[in-house]
Amino acid sequence: MTRVSALLLMAVVLSALYLVRTQYESRRLYTDLDRAKALAQRLDTEHDRLDVERGAQATPLRVEKLAREQMHMQTISPAITQYVSAQGSESEKVSASTAPKAQP
């Protein structure tokens, strides 16, 4: 009988150790999940903030201002428009007809 009792005692101790280990793993995994959810929330908030910033940066007025100041662009007017004549020399017509055409 003592042998059976010792075997049962050993089974109970091993079962208790396994239970403690699984509870520890469960708590660790729950903590990791909680951290991951907090990180996801922070990233979502950051994404929303960046999306709002991008929308603010892309306003037509700001784009036009940057085009004028940094790229020195200006609005079109008849005074600065250059017109190209379709009448050219014969060699220009030949070279233009043999050049590859741009596709839309």
Side-chain angles (χ1 to χ4, degrees):
M1 257 327 219
T2 58
R3 204 168 211 203
V4 173
S5 297
L7 189 61
L8 288 175
L9 178 64
M10 189 64 123
V12 168
V13 168
L14 289 176
S15 173
L17 289 174
Y18 180 73
L19 179 64
V20 169
R21 182 178 167 271
T22 55
Q23 284 180 339
Y24 172 77
E25 277 295 311
S26 175
R27 286 185 189 125
R28 188 184 63 79
L29 290 173
Y30 184 77
T31 304
D32 289 347
L33 178 64
D34 195 36
R35 285 185 193 142
K37 284 181 180 179
L39 178 62
Q41 180 65 34
R42 280 195 311 260
L43 290 175
D44 194 34
T45 303
E46 180 75 9
H47 179 268
D48 290 344
R49 184 184 65 78
L50 290 173
D51 201 24
V52 167
E53 277 185 30
R54 184 186 62 201
Q57 295 289 325
T59 60
L61 185 62
R62 183 175 183 281
V63 170
E64 186 175 340
K65 180 183 172 192
L66 288 174
R68 285 181 191 276
E69 292 175 358
Q70 293 180 1
M71 298 178 185
H72 307 291
M73 297 177 86
Q74 51 188 324
T75 55
I76 59 169
S77 71
I80 60 171
T81 304
Q82 295 180 2
Y83 296 95
V84 178
S85 166
Q87 299 171 355
S89 67
E90 193 63 34
S91 62
E92 290 175 349
K93 289 181 182 177
V94 170
S95 64
S97 65
T98 59
K101 296 184 180 183
Q103 296 191 7

